[in-house]
Amino acid sequence: AVRRGLSGLRYIARLTDGESGHVLWNHALDLPHPFTESLLFDLVSGLVASLGARIENAEQRRVLAKRKEDLDVADLIWLGRWHYHCFTPDGMSTARRLFEEAVSTRKDSADAHLNRAWSVLFETWRTRGAPEEIRHGLVLAQEAVRIDPLDSRAHFLTGAAECWLGNTDRAEEQLRHALDINPSCFHAYGQLGSVLYLDGRPQEGIEMM
């Protein structure tokens, strides 16, 4: 909401759980006068980033309270992401098992395929896995692209795997496609910077970082 205050406009953002009615997040900010377009862009960008993190946290906590037999595909993914973000070997293993279960439950779920690919490739990166492990993750990422070609995250994962395999041309193509779809895909900027550096274009890489 945007309301008129004593010295100008006041912006108020509130995130509420639709089922319980609990307020999960509340934020208010006085807007200076004049109100410029660049300020609006910064305001909306900050709002999107905050809402995304708050919603993810709320969804992960919601599924922790559910019984295993009551979990649907979306719940399996949220629960897997909670375990994934613990960043422990046991958490990673549990997350991967939950994502595999989500894929088995609904084979056309792009989000299930995406999170499975993400967990495999992150673990491969963390353990400095062998090329065959990277290729396995690449196949999973490509399957996520096939199911939803408009998901920038799937193209980012494909590009990252291609980079790790030394295929800089294919990696750059996928990463630039990810950014064409979603210019806010910050993972893709960092990975593209690495690709350009490895391809002998360090200045371009620094600009991407």
Side-chain angles (χ1 to χ4, degrees):
V2 178
R3 299 173 183 169
R4 189 169 297 281
L6 295 177
S7 58
L9 297 177
R10 186 168 179 79
Y11 144 85
I12 302 169
R14 181 176 294 118
L15 177 65
T16 306
D17 187 313
E19 293 183 356
S20 67
H22 293 156
V23 175
L24 304 175
W25 180 63
N26 198 45
H27 179 65
L29 183 69
D30 289 320
L31 304 176
H33 184 78
F35 189 64
T36 64
E37 185 176 343
S38 62
L39 180 60
L40 177 62
F41 178 83
D42 292 341
L43 187 67
V44 173
S45 297
L47 177 61
V48 170
S50 297
L51 285 176
R54 299 282 176 169
I55 291 171
E56 174 141 346
N57 181 266
E59 286 298 296
Q60 291 174 16
R61 291 185 177 279
R62 178 183 60 81
V63 298
L64 286 173
K66 296 186 73 171
R67 298 182 304 174
K68 178 66 171 65
E69 56 269 25
D70 294 334
L71 299 178
D72 58 21
V73 171
D75 293 334
L76 289 168
I77 294 170
W78 283 119
L79 185 58
R81 289 175 66 83
W82 186 88
H83 284 285
Y84 173 89
H85 288 129
C86 291
F87 294 115
T88 64
D90 286 345
M92 292 291 180
S93 178
T94 300
R96 188 165 174 175
R97 176 179 56 77
L98 289 164
F99 295 145
E100 291 284 359
E101 185 177 346
V103 170
S104 298
T105 302
R106 185 176 170 187
K107 298 188 184 301
D108 64 341
S109 170
D111 213 31
H113 282 274
L114 175 77
N115 281 279
R116 178 178 65 168
W118 197 297
S119 66
V120 169
L121 285 169
F122 181 85
E123 182 65 10
T124 302
W125 174 84
R126 187 184 70 84
T127 60
R128 300 300 187 264
E132 56 268 23
E133 296 177 83
I134 300 174
R135 282 191 282 270
H136 172 58
L138 174 60
V139 169
L140 297 180
Q142 289 171 331
E143 180 64 10
V145 169
R146 185 192 67 78
I147 294 174
D148 187 359
L150 295 180
D151 193 321
S152 63
R153 299 170 299 171
H155 290 281
F156 155 70
L157 289 175
T158 302
E162 293 283 18
C163 174
W164 301 344
L165 291 169
N167 304 322
T168 54
D169 287 346
R170 290 202 289 268
E172 182 177 353
E173 179 184 1
Q174 287 295 319
L175 292 167
R176 290 196 183 279
H177 192 44
L179 292 171
D180 285 341
I181 295 171
N182 178 14
S184 298
C185 185
F186 66 92
H187 293 291
Y189 285 105
Q191 190 64 56
L192 182 55
S194 297
V195 169
L196 294 170
Y197 174 81
L198 293 172
D199 198 42
R201 291 178 281 167
Q203 188 56 45
E204 292 181 57
I206 290 172
E207 292 171 2
M208 282 295 164
M209 301 291 233

